[in-house]
Amino acid sequence: MTPTTYNVAVIGYGMSAKVFHIPLIQVIPELKLHAIVQRTPQSHDDAAKDHAGIKSYRSSEEMVQDSDIDVVVVTTAPTSHFELAKLALEHGKHVVVEKPFTPSSKEASELIAIAKKHDRLLTVYQNRRWDTDFLTLSKLLEQGTLGRVVEFETHFDRHRPEAPDPASTWKAKFVPGGGAVYDLGTHLIDQAVVAFGLPDKITGFVGSQREHNPGKVEDSCTVLLHYSNSGLLATVKAAVVSPEVNQLRYWVRGDKGSYKKFHLDPQEDHLKAGKKPGDSGFGVESKERAGNLTTVQGGQPKTQTHANIEPVTYSAFYSKFAKALAGQGEVPVKPETPKDVIRLIELARLSSKEGRTLDIREHYAEIDG
């Protein structure tokens, strides 16, 4: 039996659409790229020319009137996520929203309610759940190799001390849903929540490390997630002043062992280079970049390299979403968790502003208010 094909429309035609969504949609047999919303095509940047045969729309309002469209993928700046996702849901479309879900947890909650009201699927593109090194670490945690984990560090550090021109990109401006804690922090906090659940307390340091910051953007963050029952402290860190040859990615310590990993998952670079899942070597990290696993043997720590598991790749997100469309399982990322991540970001910013550690449950009301 030939599987049902679902027509997909992508709103936006920037890097997010070109690198993280369209190439993955195109490798899933059940999904068909049907339309792209691009407000102002240029001679050198025209979705209709790049993808012959698709429908090209200039506005989302026009696109959602297309009854042939089953799925809408929102890849625009975070300030527009809520309105565009709401528009698509209310016109009967299933929706994928690029991270961060929305600038506020209140908006996220409203979108979840709208999706349920219209019986539509809603998911958020937290693709780094499928980073191969994170899946490798997750397997070590599941197997209990590290024992009782007391420290979990997840980093996305870079050395970019010069601020970009605010006129060149919205990411260089102070806008709702912008800044490091919403951008990279969303991935890192999501990984911590997936691995360990919601924390009990939070301490945030959100601000700028750059000496010259014309856009007033929050370019860096350190967020501490406190887990009272287990004694775990999770550190989420994104920095722009980090002059290192090898940037730390993970450092996880338990009473039976530790795992330390440098470098980022290579899938983003592979996608930018035009590779797709299924191509030879896609998502495979070189052996030289393998993490180090230290275990206690005979009372002494012993270290050995620990290679990543075989890549599942980011295509797993859209493969699982296609199955959910067919009624064969749940969406790849339930929207409730990204909503909780946004709430943690709000609390991290509040903690940073007030200079104190917050009890998460006690301070939910402050965010809602």
Side-chain angles (χ1 to χ4, degrees):
M1 180 181 294
T2 303
T4 301
T5 301
Y6 301 93
N7 288 331
V8 180
V10 176
I11 303 178
Y13 197 57
M15 189 191 82
S16 176
K18 295 174 184 176
V19 173
F20 288 111
H21 293 276
I22 292 174
L24 303 183
I25 292 166
Q26 291 176 321
V27 299
I28 306 301
E30 297 86 356
L31 302 179
K32 179 183 178 182
L33 183 63
H34 176 83
I36 296 175
V37 178
Q38 185 183 25
R39 288 186 298 177
T40 53
Q42 306 293 325
S43 59
H44 62 282
D45 184 28
D46 189 334
K49 292 180 180 178
D50 295 343
H51 301 280
I54 68 161
K55 290 188 176 181
S56 181
Y57 291 103
R58 297 292 170 265
S59 75
S60 300
E61 289 76 13
E62 181 185 9
M63 177 272 295
V64 294
Q65 302 299 327
D66 187 340
S67 61
D68 290 333
I69 293 172
D70 303 295
V71 177
V72 169
V73 181
V74 179
T75 72
T76 53
T79 51
S80 61
H81 285 186
F82 174 76
E83 291 298 338
L84 292 176
K86 179 181 178 182
L87 176 71
L89 289 168
E90 291 181 339
H91 281 80
K93 316 301 184 185
H94 304 287
V95 174
V96 176
V97 183
E98 175 60 89
K99 66 82 201 167
F101 190 3
T102 51
S104 74
S105 58
K106 184 177 181 180
E107 291 172 320
S109 296
E110 188 172 341
L111 285 182
I112 292 170
I114 293 170
K116 290 179 179 178
K117 176 182 177 181
H118 293 276
D119 194 25
R120 299 292 88 183
L121 298 182
L122 173 65
T123 188
V124 181
Y125 189 66
Q126 295 286 173
N127 62 303
R128 290 194 176 274
R129 293 187 186 187
W130 289 272
D131 276 1
T132 306
D133 48 15
F134 178 66
L135 294 177
T136 301
L137 171 59
S138 297
K139 186 174 181 179
L140 290 173
L141 296 174
E142 182 182 350
Q143 294 172 338
T145 304
L146 307 182
R148 183 177 66 87
V149 175
V150 296
E151 285 201 72
F152 172 80
E153 292 187 29
T154 175
H155 291 247
F156 206 132
D157 301 329
R158 300 168 292 182
H159 189 56
R160 297 181 182 176
E162 300 300 323
D165 183 353
S168 67
T169 173
W170 63 265
K171 288 189 175 183
K173 303 174 185 176
F174 185 83
V175 296
V181 72
Y182 274 100
D183 182 18
L184 304 177
T186 303
H187 284 308
L188 304 178
I189 294 173
D190 182 75
Q191 288 184 341
V193 171
V194 168
F196 302 106
L198 287 172
D200 300 294
K201 296 182 180 181
I202 189 167
T203 310
F205 304 90
V206 181
S208 174
Q209 292 181 336
R210 292 183 172 117
E211 184 176 13
H212 181 60
N213 184 13
K216 308 299 181 183
V217 67
E218 297 169 344
D219 59 36
S220 53
C221 65
T222 298
V223 179
L224 306 179
L225 306 175
H226 310 254
Y227 292 80
S228 301
N229 291 336
S230 65
L232 168 67
L233 178 66
T235 301
V236 166
K237 189 172 182 63
V240 291
V241 178
S242 182
E244 298 284 348
V245 174
N246 300 317
Q247 299 286 1
L248 181 62
R249 182 64 186 90
Y250 297 107
W251 192 7
V252 187
R253 287 174 279 189
D255 57 8
K256 292 183 180 179
S258 70
Y259 175 73
K260 183 179 282 190
K261 173 74 170 56
F262 295 85
H263 308 289
L264 290 172
D265 179 280
Q267 291 181 75
E268 178 175 344
D269 286 341
H270 289 177
L271 288 165
K272 287 179 177 177
K275 294 182 179 180
K276 293 183 179 180
D279 291 348
S280 177
F282 182 87
V284 177
E285 197 166 27
S286 66
K287 293 181 180 179
E288 294 75 20
R289 293 193 169 192
N292 288 325
L293 174 65
T294 300
T295 54
V296 179
Q297 302 175 27
Q300 297 296 321
K302 304 289 184 181
T303 300
Q304 60 184 5
T305 59
H306 187 76
N308 288 338
I309 64 173
E310 184 177 349
V312 176
T313 82
Y314 298 157
S315 64
F317 175 92
Y318 274 108
S319 178
K320 191 168 184 179
F321 185 63
K323 288 181 171 61
L325 289 168
Q328 300 171 6
E330 298 177 330
V331 293
V333 177
K334 294 181 181 180
E336 287 79 6
T337 301
K339 179 203 70 175
D340 286 337
V341 169
I342 297 299
R343 178 156 285 191
L344 290 174
I345 287 173
E346 292 168 323
L347 287 169
R349 295 182 74 241
L350 179 63
S351 166
S352 182
K353 179 181 178 181
E354 297 187 352
R356 62 192 180 102
T357 296
L358 303 179
D359 184 290
I360 290 172
R361 289 162 185 79
E362 288 182 5
H363 289 83
Y364 272 6
E366 291 186 34
I367 295 300
D368 290 337

